[in-house]
Amino acid sequence: MSTSLDGRKAVVTGGAQGIGRAIAQALADAGAEVVISDINGEGAKSAAAEIGQGAEGVTCDSTDAAQVERMLEDAAQDGAIDILVNNASIVPFIPWDDVDLAHWQKIIDTNLTSVFIASRKATDMMRAAGRKGTVLNIASNAFYAGTPNMSAYVAAKGGVIGFTRALATEVGKYGIRVNAVTPGLTESDGVKVSPHAESFGFVEMLQAMPGKGQPADIAKVVAFLVSDDAGWMTGQCVNVDAGMIRL
Ligand code: NAD
Ligand code: 4PL
């Protein structure tokens, strides 16, 4: 096994809390030097301080291309980062009758266009530095389930999965791998304080195994996919949801 990430430079977007924070912890524990990028800069800094191991927290709005480009250049120091985890997103709970164009555009911007912005810059930098880096996108099993009260979110996550496949094709020739993970309902900081918290009973009934998904359950799979152990995997989408969806 070579799940070690010793000496790798990683950026995790939306890592101030929840699943992103657990991913930052797992990558740091595997030896990576982690930058936590979040619109909540204070949260990013305190998460980085608690993780230690050289982790750093920075303020960055993933929808703002100029901020993202500067954040990635700062993180790269000697040319490029090795690992980009596109995790930042809004997890809305909004009945279909309340979905308007403004909501739709905000979710597509935050949950899909942000993935393009960071991936464009990071893969260009990896290519220029001759670095065989990797991009890991956090999608959702809501794409497969068509989960209620999240129509724009489900559409954005479908876009993330499509883009994962297309970008893998485009950058494979440079040795850059691009994969995605689709978590099921997970007890993250955001979900805990949202109406989604009421769905655990129903979702557990659909899962093959009982229990509430935890951020660390997702992070372990991410740590594997960005490691050399997954060196022959690209363009893939790995479902992590206790078997709620049996693909
Ligand atoms: P969360 O709400 O707990 O955390 C999201 C983080 O993203 C926050 O720190 C927030 O500040 C940050 N963020 C939001 N908008 C941003 C922006 N514009 N720029 C930078 N940072 C921004 O969410 P979570 O539940 O941990 O979800 C993390 C990822 O997992 C998301 O991609 C989400 O869609 C996905 N996911 C979550 C679940 C779940 O049930 N929790 C299930 C499937 C997929
Ligand atoms: C099944 O991605 O995949 C609730 C909230 N239920 O965010 C999700 C399911 C939620 C999901 C998600």
Side-chain angles (χ1 to χ4, degrees):
M1 291 284 282
S2 48
T3 15
S4 160
L5 300 175
D6 273 338
R8 307 283 163 92
K9 285 205 178 101
V11 169
V12 181
T13 70
Q17 63 175 50
I19 293 173
R21 201 208 134 111
I23 292 170
Q25 177 82 61
L27 301 193
D29 290 348
E33 214 177 283
V34 180
V35 172
I36 296 175
S37 157
D38 204 293
I39 197 166
N40 171 11
E42 286 311 304
K45 286 183 174 66
S46 61
E50 282 170 35
I51 289 167
Q53 307 177 94
E56 223 193 301
V58 297
T59 310
C60 178
D61 179 347
S62 285
T63 67
D64 183 322
Q67 284 185 39
V68 171
E69 286 166 14
R70 185 152 37 85
M71 178 276 289
L72 289 170
E73 274 165 8
D74 289 349
Q77 293 153 356
D78 68 340
I81 57 167
D82 301 288
I83 299 164
L84 168 66
V85 180
N86 287 309
N87 165 85
S89 120
I90 294 171
V91 184
F93 183 101
I94 179 165
W96 168 242
D97 287 357
D98 297 333
V99 173
D100 60 11
L101 182 60
H103 169 77
W104 177 271
Q105 285 175 332
K106 183 162 178 66
I107 296 302
I108 297 296
D109 202 33
T110 307
N111 296 7
L112 175 58
T113 307
S114 65
V115 176
F116 161 74
I117 291 171
S119 300
R120 172 82 262 175
K121 177 68 175 175
T123 58
D124 285 348
M125 290 171 74
M126 288 168 185
R127 220 178 126 179
R131 203 79 83 92
K132 292 182 178 172
T134 185
V135 177
L136 191 288
N137 298 322
I138 304 299
S140 169
N141 84 342
F143 170 67
Y144 301 121
T147 305
N149 302 305
M150 314 189 80
S151 50
Y153 176 93
V154 170
K157 293 303 193 182
V160 169
I161 292 169
F163 179 60
T164 299
R165 294 176 180 178
L167 184 62
T169 308
E170 300 291 356
V171 300
K173 58 174 81 69
Y174 311 114
I176 301 171
R177 301 184 301 109
V178 186
N179 292 293
V181 164
T182 53
L185 179 62
T186 303
E187 202 172 28
S188 67
D189 298 290
V191 154
K192 269 187 204 161
V193 296
S194 83
H196 293 296
E198 307 301 318
S199 304
F200 278 103
F202 180 69
V203 165
E204 274 197 72
M205 205 171 64
L206 301 176
Q207 290 171 188
M209 297 189 297
K212 292 184 187 178
Q214 297 301 313
D217 295 323
I218 310 305
K220 285 182 272 197
V221 178
V222 170
F224 162 69
L225 286 171
V226 301
S227 79
D228 293 346
D229 279 349
W232 199 233
M233 290 178 73
T234 194
Q236 303 305 306
C237 188
V238 178
N239 189 47
V240 187
D241 68 353
M244 173 181 147
I245 306 288
R246 275 140 265 187
L247 284 170

